[in-house]
Amino acid sequence: MSTIHKVAAVQFEPTMFEKEQNIARLLELCEQAATAGARLIVTPEMGTTGYCWFDRAEVGPFVEKVPGPTTNRFAALARKHDCHIVIGMPEVDEDGIYFNTAVLIGPDGVVGRHRKTHPYISEPKWAAAGDLHNQVFETPIGRVALLICMDIHFVETARLMALGGADVICHISNWLAERTPAPYWISRAFENGCYVVESNRWGLERTVQFSGGSCVIAPDGQVSAVLDKGDGVLLSEIDLDAARARRVLGETVFAQRRPELYPELLTDTFSWNPHDFFGLYEHEPWPPGKTSRVSVAQFAPVDDVVQNLRQIEAQARAAKAEGAELVVFPELAVTGLADPAKSAQSIPGPATDRLRSIAGEFGVYLVCGLAERDGDVLHNSACLVAPDGKISIYRKTHLAADERSWATAGAGWSVVDTPIGRIGMLIGHDASFPEAGRVLALRGCDLIVCPAAIKGRFSSSHAGTEVIQPGSIPTGADPHHWHHFRVRAGENNVFLAFANVIDPERGYPGLSGVFGPDTFEFPRREAIVANGTGLATALVDTGNLDSVYPTNVVRRKDLVSMRMPHSYRGLVKAAASNY
């Protein structure tokens, strides 16, 4: 049985109030794709009717049940060509409730459907949040899952579908406000090791400019084909074996998950005013926050602790000259990458004593990675050293394959309150797991610091788009359009200081950066070390206006507050059936 199948993403511009015209055009484009050999054809969100409805009364004449007349027409085409088709439409159920729905249709009719669970600003005007969560459908061309537009902003949705065995996520959307293929789309494929077939509409509807950029994204994050602007059919191939390997940067991430550390994913800490929630019963209130400068230092540690400490001192001095109050250094920056077991240090010990001296001399916080010796046990650790000498330790919880020969995984998270804000700590491979950043966000972190030694490709460029975007949204070429760790910051509404090793000969690409809490803010609040040894310094604002409610996105956490945690239970199960 073949594991390679041709797929198609359909892109077009629907017209509101012209349902029959839209359906006819979609059938024409699907026929074109099927004739070209596509076994799976994906069409845009609300493609049968258009998207920008004012209210229930306006969309009411265009809703349908599923199955119904529209799905029957696409089923006839699927039967004719022995293929599967995903359509987007407004659905009405037996109780008269409306949903924004994606329907998977095969030769025998409706296979399944997904109702948009995480609504964008417009859906609550007419639709209920979806109640059919995280389904994966078995088909002759693989295991297929469905997501709709805003759903993919939330790490939990695609993760649950991948845990359920999805080979391909069909993401139908009316995406806007940035160049596409969107970084969120790429990260969901990349972090889950599965395909994303993206069908996005284009064109202008009721003042809203949609971005186009329909594409097919491979499990390694490579965009294999893309259609920038205009109506059309985009063809590509998927290989089920590539998806079922479930590898991220060469690591078997699904086998390395730590569900026992994830129960907080089922909580909703931002459903209440977080100023009241954090500090309830006068316990662990948020630090007031402030405006600060944060630096990441990029270099290649050597197999010499003394020399590494000299490099740390030199870069801390340079960062202080740029006004930095916190400097983050790479993973194992103190002890080196070559033989951590041999160079491991006790905490406290001579190495951390030197870090204390540097932090005190320059009046800065330092975050440094090192191999830690705790009696007979070794950890891949990071320490946050305060100017007053206090040390906070985090031990890496998600170990990569080559670390398991020497390191013992940590047992929990580390969150530290400072004048800069509430700081959460991750190390390198930890950040490949979307669950890790989410837990720290739910704990109210303003900033996540991440010393890293990550090899491989986690960023890609964009050649520019012909779609004319409003305001300050960029359309030109961008060498760092997708940076996976920028997405980590934005999806959790945190600042993220990512300090990676730079050593191209050994596969470490650097690309360290300080990334802002809103990926749709342009120009971006960030700084990146594009290449070589060096620093990137950015302004970090964790303060708040004089208000009892949060006015800063890092405190409001808009995306975090829109989660639907009652449907995320599968994230904390010990193991999924397919892995």
Side-chain angles (χ1 to χ4, degrees), residues 274-293:
H275 274 306
D276 294 335
F277 179 87
F278 297 109
L280 187 65
Y281 315 128
E282 299 182 353
H283 177 67
E284 295 183 350
W286 264 338
K290 61 193 286 287
T291 298
S292 313
R293 291 190 179 274

Side-chain angles (χ1 to χ4, degrees), residues 177-190:
E178 67 177 336
R179 283 170 298 211
T180 49
Y184 278 94
W185 307 347
I186 301 171
S187 281
R188 295 299 169 257
F190 176 78

Side-chain angles (χ1 to χ4, degrees), residues 45-168:
E45 175 187 17
M46 295 286 286
T48 63
T49 62
Y51 178 73
C52 300
W53 299 100
F54 289 145
D55 51 33
R56 277 177 54 91
E58 190 179 46
V59 76
F62 305 99
V63 300
E64 281 187 37
K65 290 187 175 180
V66 176
T70 295
T71 61
N72 291 343
R73 293 169 72 177
F74 285 90
L77 193 150
R79 187 160 49 250
K80 174 183 175 183
H81 292 282
D82 190 27
C83 65
H84 285 70
I85 304 170
V86 178
I87 66 167
M89 59 180 288
E91 178 196 3
V92 59
D93 73 1
E94 61 277 5
D95 296 320
I97 306 301
Y98 298 169
F99 298 96
N100 181 341
T101 298
V103 189
L104 175 63
I105 301 166
D108 297 324
V110 172
V111 176
R113 61 191 156 175
H114 169 73
R115 293 166 172 166
K116 190 172 184 178
T117 52
H118 296 73
Y120 186 56
I121 190 172
S122 61
E123 271 82 30
K125 288 179 172 289
W126 62 271
D131 53 1
L132 305 173
H133 296 284
N134 313 313
Q135 301 172 92
V136 178
F137 304 104
E138 291 277 358
T139 77
I141 54 172
R143 305 182 193 115
V144 177
L146 310 175
L147 286 176
I148 304 175
C149 205
M150 189 76 180
D151 289 335
I152 213 166
H153 277 86
F154 300 88
V155 299
E156 294 88 351
T157 56
R159 191 58 143 194
L160 282 161
M161 291 172 173
L163 285 168
D167 302 309
V168 55

Side-chain angles (χ1 to χ4, degrees), residues 325-449:
E325 297 179 42
L326 182 148
V327 192
V328 184
F329 294 88
E331 183 174 356
L332 300 175
V334 174
T335 51
L337 306 171
D339 192 352
K342 180 180 178 182
S343 59
Q345 304 286 307
S346 298
I347 304 176
T352 53
D353 288 346
R354 183 67 190 124
L355 293 176
R356 281 171 162 165
S357 175
I358 295 168
E361 178 182 354
F362 298 125
V364 298
Y365 288 83
L366 304 177
V367 179
C368 297
L370 74 164
E372 178 197 358
R373 183 177 298 281
D374 181 23
D376 294 331
V377 178
L378 300 180
H379 299 282
N380 185 340
S381 297
C383 56
L384 190 157
V385 183
D388 65 3
K390 183 179 179 180
I391 296 177
S392 303
I393 303 171
Y394 169 68
R395 293 166 173 170
K396 191 173 186 178
T397 52
H398 298 80
L399 299 181
D402 62 357
E403 296 172 295
R404 292 169 182 261
S405 63
W406 66 270
T408 296
W413 312 104
S414 182
V415 173
V416 184
D417 284 342
T418 75
I420 296 167
R422 179 164 290 179
I423 298 175
M425 301 171 72
L426 298 176
I427 301 173
H429 190 47
D430 285 327
S432 293
F433 296 79
E435 298 92 341
R438 185 65 101 211
V439 169
L440 296 179
L442 290 166
R443 290 193 177 188
C445 289
D446 304 300
L447 169 67
I448 294 175
V449 294

Side-chain angles (χ1 to χ4, degrees), residues 25 27 43 57 76 124 184 282 300 321 336 355 404 426 453 483 489 495 507 553:
R25 179 63 172 145
L27 286 167
T43 71
Y184 278 94
E282 299 182 353
L355 293 176
R404 292 169 182 261
L426 298 176
H483 192 303
F495 290 94
V553 67

